[in-house]
Amino acid sequence: MKAAILFKPNELLQVLDCELDPPKAGEVRVKMKASGVCQSDWHILNGDWPSPLPIVPGHEAAGEIAECGPGVTTVKPGDHVIFSFRPHCGRCRYCSQGRTVLCIGRNNTPPAGLYDGTLRIKHKGQEIYQMARIGTFAEEVVVPEEMVVPIRKDMPWAQAALVGCCVATGVGAVTRHARIPTGSTVLVIGCGGVGLNAIQGAVLSGAGIIIAADLLDNKLDMAKTFGATHTINTSTNEDAAKKVKEMTGGFGVDYAFDAVAIDKTQALAYDALAPGGHAVAVGVSSPNQRAQYSPFNMVFTEKTVSGTFYGSVRPDLDFPVLVDHYMNKRLNIDGLISRTYKLADINEGFRKMMAGEVARGVVVFD
Ligand code: CXF
Ligand code: ZN
């Protein structure tokens, strides 16, 4: 089977023939059907996020179960599944609270191999890691059973793939993490895959004003089609926080979601809040990033700053619901898919994403 491998940061991915060991106990082999190209993959490619190498990136995907190792009970060959990139043991203190994204019950070092510490993909005998234990830019992968969620079979593959990262993260940030009340005013910073889904999450929650902010007009146009009521181009607006206040009767927003995660956007999320507002870090920054908030201001305005990982979703519960929302036309996923690629063209997919030309590119497999 072919897999796209990163041997060194800042090099192109190499699509190479690889060997794949069969699934061991509690593991499944999945035939890949579609895998989205996400900014987080780029963080691995450019060395921003430390990662063992060589590695197959990719973590936003859907496929069909081809084979089950001994003891697998939750899926069977032929099942359609969406990958979850966060393992969860189901028993630790966090899983027991339903906060599966905080699971501490799995050996997590390095988080790019199977639970027994071994790897399944090999290229000419060399062992290859899998991003987030799944590494979905490959025609087939072997992953722990708990990292796939079975879904209904009438869900199209590319759309299913996106549920596994940007849809879950964006919608979940609003509906699962912040749980915004109806009528809330909302700012979403960054209108890529995650941001557009935060906008959809706000619409699903009955938000009032939904302000989208981005550097690019093409992204802001798209944000309107996903439900933004107002837009701000932050490349031409010097003081975006002031603009947000003007748009909200002088108050600022009740909730701000930062899908970009650089110093400027973190500051904007905080500064654009109304007193009592809540800023949510959604995008994953580089590990050395530090945010600056004034505790003085925070006290007197009772603002909240929080983070959400994976939209705080519980994949087994939430993925099938998000799939139903799509099938019932309550979520727009078609509009996120600007381009599809063959695995052989994956480097072009990253180039287009970094040029801001696509909401989401998706690698589709035969
Ligand atoms: C990332 C977070 C770290 C693991 C892979 C996915 N989130 C979204 O893209
Ligand atoms: Zn992602």
Side-chain angles (χ1 to χ4, degrees), residues 38 40 49 59 85 131-132 165 169 284 309:
C38 171
S40 300
W49 293 354
H59 61 278
F85 57 72
M131 177 180 179
C165 182
T169 304
V284 188
F309 179 30

Side-chain angles (χ1 to χ4, degrees), residues 55-302:
I55 193 165
V56 177
H59 61 278
E60 178 181 73
E64 184 175 325
I65 300 290
E67 184 185 353
C68 294
V72 168
T73 55
T74 54
V75 285
K76 56 184 183 314
D79 280 356
H80 293 196
V81 295
I82 296 174
F83 289 82
S84 154
F85 57 72
R86 187 66 176 92
H88 59 287
C89 71
R91 302 200 60 179
C92 71
R93 68 194 295 257
Y94 292 108
C95 283
S96 303
Q97 296 166 12
R99 302 187 74 177
T100 56
V101 293
L102 298 181
C103 172
I104 49 170
R106 293 289 182 229
N107 163 21
N108 213 28
T109 48
L114 279 296
Y115 293 144
D116 65 359
T118 62
L119 305 178
R120 303 284 171 275
I121 301 176
K122 295 184 182 92
H123 172 252
K124 294 188 178 159
Q126 183 179 20
E127 292 195 312
I128 314 288
Y129 289 93
Q130 292 166 244
M131 177 180 179
R133 289 207 173 83
I134 51 183
T136 55
F137 292 134
E139 289 174 334
E140 293 196 348
V141 288
V142 169
V143 301
E145 164 185 20
E146 73 196 39
M147 298 190 77
V148 293
V149 176
I151 54 157
R152 54 197 274 184
K153 290 192 173 174
D154 51 356
M155 178 70 174
W157 290 115
Q159 285 79 350
L162 299 203
V163 170
C165 182
C166 67
V167 176
T169 304
V171 175
V174 180
T175 62
R176 286 293 184 221
H177 177 76
R179 295 174 182 263
I180 71 168
T182 311
S184 299
T185 54
V186 173
L187 168 67
V188 174
I189 307 169
C191 299
V194 170
L196 292 173
N197 279 295
I199 291 170
Q200 302 209 81
V203 174
L204 276 174
S205 308
I209 290 171
I210 304 174
I211 305 168
D214 201 287
L215 294 166
L216 298 172
D217 280 334
N218 65 326
K219 299 237 172 140
L220 292 172
D221 289 342
M222 201 159 205
K224 284 188 205 147
T225 70
F226 278 76
T229 57
H230 298 64
T231 60
I232 301 175
N233 185 321
T234 43
S235 71
T236 50
N237 268 288
E238 298 255 303
D239 192 345
K242 188 165 160 237
K243 198 99 189 115
V244 170
K245 287 187 182 148
E246 283 167 19
M247 291 168 168
T248 50
F251 280 109
V253 283
D254 301 320
Y255 293 90
F257 297 89
D258 175 15
V260 180
I262 58 171
D263 48 2
K264 275 189 183 162
T265 58
Q266 284 170 335
L268 172 59
Y270 184 86
D271 293 341
L273 290 179
H278 181 171
V280 182
V282 187
V284 188
S285 70
S286 61
N288 301 326
Q289 173 98 15
R290 287 285 176 276
Q292 287 195 344
Y293 302 111
S294 152
F296 179 87
N297 175 274
M298 233 175 165
V299 165
F300 291 107
T301 58
E302 293 205 340

